[in-house]
Amino acid sequence: MSTIEQKALAYHRAGRAGKIAIEVTKSVATQEDLALAYSPGVAAPCMEIAREPAKAYEYTAKRNLVGVITNGSAVLGLGNIGALAGKPVMEGKVVLFKKFAGIDAFDIEIDESDPDKLVEIIASLHPTFGGINLEDIKAPECFYIERKLRERLPIPVFHDDQHGTAIVVGAGMLNAIEMTGRDIATVKIVCSGAGAAAMACLELLVDLGAQKHNIFVCDSKGVLSTVRPLDGEKLEWARETSFTTLSEVMAGADVFLGVSGPGVLSQADIVAMNPHPIVFTLANPEPELRPELVREVAPDAIIATGRSDYPNQINNALCFPYLFRAALDCGASTINQEMKRACVVALADMARSDARFGKDYVVPGLLDPRLLRGVTPKIATAAYRSGVARKELIESEYADDLVELGESLI
């Protein structure tokens, strides 16, 4: 067992087991306090909410509460380890919501593999929450589950494994493309991986200006082509091509996007790319090709990984706390494409405005204190302008409020 594993086990076991607890936010010091908090006083807000459901956002924790929900079918790089074994990850997500955006969250692990039953269970829980963060649900079921819940529920539903990865990839890619003097509309992109994260990344890149005919997608069996029997999301990315392997399509590529597994990329593949290649090897914990091996054959490459021990970490925590903070504060009914795009641009702009901006700094660092106040207001504005928010937040005033919130979280 490695040192990090030993430290992690000791960390989780120390003191009160786990990483989270519940706190009481109102005074319960007197008999009158207790009468107001519970019976008989609690009947008053109950009746107000019964008459006007939106009052729940005034009288309960709903307006600052997110459900972090999984069935444990695709936990990190560990696979289908089950709902209970996924609980430490969900607790970790709760910690990140609180640490970075002051959002309270409950982790809910559901022992159910049937997609329709899972939809019904999650939908029945929705009155508790102001938003739902789906986590670690395997593809292709995750696409269906998110779509069905978004259709049914009046609160934001967001599968972070898909869209969180896509947003941070989008921000880093915009900066890398600009830094290398390219045009996103003409770059050739090769993607290794055809799961939930890969599909979301590609869709967002197209939304940002990439052209579908310049994109080649590979799964474990090779290039997605029209001669292969494909269905669902994979069929949408099938190309008319005689190429069958990843190595074949890497020739002349500008961008490699790896959302697959370790060792699928070689140094020869990097050599076959165009000069100044953009190489995002995001498999975790072991990337498709280690950055030092990429750098050996392409010293001028811009490289990103999913790891914290290399520059340019593509970490979902750069976006999901701020997306939900904005959505909750402006009363958004969903997290839409406009909000995701606003987050991409805000993250990219923040990195560009930093003195460290360069090939080893194309996205902000996870602990950048500017994130809460710099990204969140842009998302809230996009929500209001696109018609999904109940109220408009003035960016400058909202940013000031978030500065105070951020200071309280330190």
Side-chain angles (χ1 to χ4, degrees), residues 23-45:
E23 65 177 5
V24 177
T25 62
K26 301 290 192 295
S27 172
V28 287
T30 67
Q31 186 67 37
E32 182 181 14
D33 288 341
L34 292 172
L36 295 174
Y38 198 53
S39 181
V42 77

Side-chain angles (χ1 to χ4, degrees), residues 325-326 329 376-377 380 393-403:
R325 179 75 277 158
D329 289 345
T376 314
L393 299 174
I394 307 303
E395 277 196 25
S396 58
E397 297 176 3
Y398 184 37
D400 289 342
D401 292 339
L402 291 171
V403 169

